[in-house]
Amino acid sequence: MFSNKLDRLIWRRHRKLMAVIGGITLLGTVMMTLILLHTLKQISGSDIQIVSGSIHKWQVYRGSYFTAYSWWLIFAFWLGGLEIMHLDLRDHFNEFLFSSGFSRLKVYWAKLRIALGTLLGMSVVIIAIQYLLYWLSKPAGTTFTLAWPGLITSWAMGLAISIGMFSLSWFAALIVGQTGSLIVTISGFTFSLVGLSGIGGNILSGSWLKVSKAALPWVGAGTWLVSAVVLFIWGAALYQHLSLEHNGEYLLFPRLRVPVYIVFVVYVTWLYSYDADGMTMAVAFILAALFGYGWLWRPRLGEKWHQWRESKQAKE
Amino acid sequence: MTLSVAGLSKEIGGRQIIQEITFEWAPGEILGLVGRNGVGKTTLFRSMMHHYVPEAGHVTVDGQDIQQVPSRQQQLFFIDTQYNFLSNYRLWELPDFFKAVYPRFDEQRFTALLAEFKLDRNSQYRRLSKGMRALVNLVLALTSNATYIILDEPFDGLDVIVRENIASMVIDEVADQQKGFLISSHDLNELDGLSDRVLLLKDSKLVRDYNLEDIRAKAKKIQLVLNDRVIPTVLKEHSQLIRVSGRVLVVVITDYTPEIDRALKDLNPVLFEELPLTLEDLFRANLAHETGYQLMK
């Protein structure tokens, strides 16, 4: 299947979990499809179009009964990035890779290549199964008509978001060394993107930048792809300096602590106080600063308080 | 063919764990690495294998830095006994990984050795006992056919029979001068009769690099019973007392010369018998003060 030994090694290591991700995604997509098909069966009448006419336009297709690019696929990419980067750290496969005789850069790009390649292949298969299911199970009296403009646009946009999501979880898993904290961090950040996309849309379509509504999704897709490329290249640089004595610590690169803190405080303050008054901004800033400090430095405040109380009692 | 470690230093959490470690290692040699628990033996191995990125220093194989020419790393074998990926796999699956990394990995021998040690190839690594895991690690080390094999406390948890098996296998492996072993231990008895050279780690530094053959050529361990109860000057000046049992003295003389031999025989001892010299005796006699060896026990 793979011509070189490194690719074979990485595939051997991750094939089972990739299959699990594929299985979950397929199950989720099939379930969603069956639910939508069931809904269609409940609707009385005939000549119902499962796919609306907007599929003929060069825009992302959004319909009530059909999704051209399943959200489950975006989830699969997100999970795939997390899996392939974090599990090698957690299960100590990095130790083996780092002394395998392949340069770290080669290892990094091979992992990325195999993960993205597998996820892309998985997407093609799952999309094909999803469409086939619609085709075979469509209720009597309904029609299922597809058109390239809507499909290609939806796929392109879906892939851009998927690759962006992959890069986020991949990069987070590269710099965070604790499983639970990593999941909380990346989940929190991913959910915050909903708010960010709203604010970003307002800024882009505002009076200053004046980006048209039709162009907004493309700017979004471009932003995802550029961010992904930046994170992949930055990740490659960091991966070469990954020293495994930090395994199990929140940040695998202690020098990133202050930059991460600054970015976190600025991002959270901005997200919560965008378009708000000065007081809201001040409160958001203080809360973000305190939470960020507690999260990144993990001061043992409780322990210190007990020590202080005990020493005070001893003196008395 | 030589592996050189030059000026390797590693700091963890603001503490210097190893400092400017420098030594050379050639195929055919069995190097012992001794030092107290926590002195940095495993950190040295992890830094050599680049699991830890060292602050300074480098490892070269035949003059080529393994960071510049990573393929040279395939000549080194090390399984971290504490942190390794093997836990989730069954033994029959392991060659898939090692074949990809070690070009001369011998799968047939791997299977044969598993059978020889009565290790079930369908067992999961994590379900094995500590001793069985140590055996699997050794089997992987031997069948990797890497030139430089690092074993970290390989005898830990093994019974005497298996220990002897392993020791004889290691000796057999180096016989053709194609492989070298670097074996760490906090117990000198484990390395006795196995190591040619002993590296001693103390206070994060490599304080000694002993060639045991040279030391053994000059040293003697003698059991003697003297007529007098007073310990003679020759023994006070030249020997290290290992054991006293009634009137029986066991001493080690690290630089045994004909003059000392004559002086001892002039004392007309009731008993004068040469005993086999162990590594532990040598360390007790020669190095105890400077290495803190007694603290190791």
Side-chain angles (χ1 to χ4, degrees), chain A residues 182-204:
Chain A
L182 169 65
I183 291 168
V184 171
T185 302
I186 190 62
S187 302
F189 185 72
T190 306
F191 284 121
S192 79
L193 291 175
V194 178
L196 183 69
S197 65
I199 294 170
N202 285 343
I203 292 171
L204 288 169

Side-chain angles (χ1 to χ4, degrees), chain B residues 228-287:
Chain B
D228 292 332
R229 286 188 174 272
V230 182
I231 294 179
T233 318
V234 62
L235 287 183
K236 280 182 185 165
E237 285 177 357
H238 299 287
S239 78
Q240 179 74 35
L241 194 61
I242 299 292
R243 197 171 60 243
V244 185
S245 177
R247 288 179 64 195
V248 182
L249 305 176
V250 178
V251 295
V252 169
I253 300 167
T254 50
D255 193 7
Y256 197 84
T257 60
E259 290 75 34
I260 294 173
D261 185 62
R262 214 169 17 253
L264 285 175
K265 282 176 182 162
D266 285 347
L267 296 169
N268 292 320
V270 178
L271 172 73
F272 185 94
E273 187 183 13
E274 193 178 330
L275 297 177
L277 194 61
T278 66
L279 195 53
E280 193 175 332
D281 295 328
L282 282 175
F283 272 76
R284 273 172 185 266
N286 219 351
L287 318 164

Side-chain angles (χ1 to χ4, degrees), chain A residues 99-104, chain B residues 65-74:
Chain A
S99 52
S100 64
F102 300 105
S103 75
R104 288 202 187 187
Chain B
D65 189 330
I66 59 170
Q67 287 317 300
Q68 308 299 325
V69 189
S71 59
R72 285 288 191 179
Q73 271 194 316
Q74 294 178 337

Side-chain angles (χ1 to χ4, degrees), chain A residues 5 9 12-13 15-16 91-93 95-96 98-104 240-245, chain B residues 10 12 49-53 70-71 73-74 83-85 88-89 93 96-101 103:
Chain A
K5 283 185 174 180
L9 180 67
R12 176 69 182 82
R13 159 79 182 146
R15 64 187 186 187
K16 277 185 192 166
D91 294 349
H92 306 291
F93 194 66
E95 275 85 344
F96 189 66
F98 290 177
S99 52
S100 64
F102 300 105
S103 75
R104 288 202 187 187
Q240 292 189 81
H241 301 285
L242 178 58
S243 196
L244 296 174
E245 75 268 21
Chain B
K10 181 67 196 168
I12 298 176
M49 300 304 288
H50 217 60
H51 298 171
Y52 292 174
V53 177
S71 59
Q73 271 194 316
Q74 294 178 337
Y83 303 125
N84 63 58
F85 74 98
N88 296 324
Y89 294 97
E93 292 180 286
D96 287 355
F97 296 98
F98 288 86
K99 265 192 302 194
V101 167

